[in-house]
Amino acid sequence: MTETPALPALWPAPLADGTVHATVTVPGSKSVTNRALVLAALAAEPGWVRRPLRSRDSQLMSDALRALGVGIEETASSSSGDGAGGEAWRVIPAALHGPATVDVGNAGTVMRFLPPVATLASGDIRFDGDPRSYERPLGQVISALRTLGARIDDDGRGALPLTVQGGGALEGGVVEIDASNSSQFVSALLLSGPRFNQGVEVRHTGTTLPSMPHIRMTVEMLRAAGAQVDTPEAGGEPNVWRVAPSALLGRDVVVEPDLSNAQPFLAAALITGGTVTIPDWPRRTTQPGDELRRIFTEMGGSCELTDAGLVFTGSGKIHGIDVDLGEVGELTPGIAAVAALADSPSTLRGVAHLRLHETDRLAALTKEINELGGDVTETADGLHIRPRPLHGGVFHTYDDHRMATAGAVIGLAVEGVRIENVATTAKTLPDFPKMWTDMLGEASRVVGA
């Protein structure tokens, strides 16, 4: 990866001095990139992942797969049959083996998707990561894998660090799991399911299931790779997914732009009454970020899908919103930031599971917005936000990329906001500070830089 230039410990968020008019090319989707890498690594033949996201999370995933024996060759540019150019990674499957150590960092996709993969390796695979990764829920995946025949040593923690004692195969079969805390628990088992001897049948037993779009993404990508998947949406049992055992195809995957990472740039148009265009916005997608079109329109903007991409325009007014974000929880920090600048209160519901993300996002948003003069109250499953005049100050990020971009959004309208550790955005959005200042151009000024 290209080294990121040194950034100040407290990054002065640029203040918008005028309307923003810009075209912003957003890097590839983390969710698609990391799923594509896993499926390519488990395939029966080589494949390509084109326009991948190059970030900390995707680098952790590719490094982990390499440690297990997978070949991943990175090229500066290539072209597929549909003319997609740009960076491309050639993934060459191999017999998975240990001993190996996997650094998950604080990437949920790595810590949850790869233990099932490791059960297919020969030898011990140790998983470790950032201190916060020890606190993130993983017990449901561990217990599910044990039910399916895996041997895992976690000293009874139900969390990282742990060692998967790979036997070169996994029996698979039927397993019950409570995925109320993360849809990644379901996706983790489905992605490796075709390689289990009996496939896998995942039965979700919890009362809620957040981020369903990400499960639909997993299912679509599995089917595109040749897997047979039965789902509730296709007439199957409620909360039950079945993946039949089969070989996976080596595919040529072009990664869509990360629509959730487009959020701060669209917010800039909404807040300043300007226009931002995001090229290559897909007309059909399973990415939860597509909901931004509806949510930000309801909050005062308008959008149009054109040949140039998504064109989003702000009206100069920001309205509060009452919205259930259960399926699109990752959008909550950015929506909360915009809501803090609105002309009426907002209620964000259905996101209790955010307390278990990179940080406790509900507590963090409440504390940081309130310390800038806001009025945010935590509810059982979300936030209630009453807009107030805000003032400058330090906006802490808790090593959470979406907290950092939320602080930058507030800084557009509030003088003197300084973002602590803005470099954490490299988790999924490399070069965010430069992208942000380039977008603003002359329509901004930095106070106290």
Side-chain angles (χ1 to χ4, degrees), residues 4 7 17 72-73 99 120 154 157 169 217-218 244 249 265 304 325 348 369 374 401 413 425 437 442:
T4 303
L7 292 163
D17 252 1
I72 302 178
E73 301 172 353
L120 304 171
D154 66 342
R157 287 182 299 270
M217 177 187 293
T218 297
L249 306 173
F265 306 102
E304 181 183 4
L325 299 175
L348 313 184
I369 294 174
H401 55 132
T425 52
T437 53
E442 296 180 359

Side-chain angles (χ1 to χ4, degrees), residues 263 293 386:
Q263 182 179 39
R293 292 191 290 153
R386 290 164 291 273

Side-chain angles (χ1 to χ4, degrees), residues 100-265:
T101 297
V102 169
D103 176 11
V104 310
N106 193 17
T109 52
V110 182
M111 73 178 70
R112 290 160 184 157
F113 292 178
L114 288 192
V117 174
T119 67
L120 304 171
S122 299
D124 289 355
I125 312 297
R126 178 172 172 78
F127 288 82
D128 208 336
D130 297 353
R132 172 63 179 173
S133 72
Y134 295 5
E135 303 171 16
R136 298 185 68 181
L138 189 59
Q140 290 291 318
V141 174
I142 295 170
S143 60
L145 288 173
R146 285 179 175 145
T147 298
L148 297 173
R151 293 180 300 163
I152 300 175
D153 178 12
D154 66 342
D155 289 334
R157 287 182 299 270
L160 291 171
L162 60 84
T163 298
V164 175
Q165 299 170 20
L170 192 70
E171 191 58 24
V174 181
V175 66
E176 293 186 345
I177 189 169
D178 183 352
S180 301
N181 288 333
S182 176
S183 67
Q184 289 178 353
F185 299 168
V186 175
S187 288
L189 298 172
L190 298 184
L191 286 167
S192 292
R195 290 283 304 272
F196 299 162
N197 293 342
Q198 298 182 38
V200 70
E201 178 178 304
V202 180
R203 293 179 166 267
H204 167 56
T205 60
T207 55
T208 62
L209 184 55
S211 303
M212 270 299 297
H214 280 123
I215 295 180
R216 289 192 282 269
M217 177 187 293
T218 297
V219 169
E220 284 204 4
M221 293 183 71
L222 274 163
R223 286 174 172 162
Q228 178 184 328
V229 188
D230 296 328
T231 67
E233 293 92 340
E237 295 179 58
N239 292 326
V240 177
W241 293 262
R242 296 184 183 90
V243 180
S246 69
L248 293 173
L249 306 173
R251 296 186 59 232
D252 198 324
V253 178
V254 180
V255 179
E256 299 172 350
D258 194 313
L259 307 187
S260 295
N261 276 341
Q263 182 179 39
F265 306 102

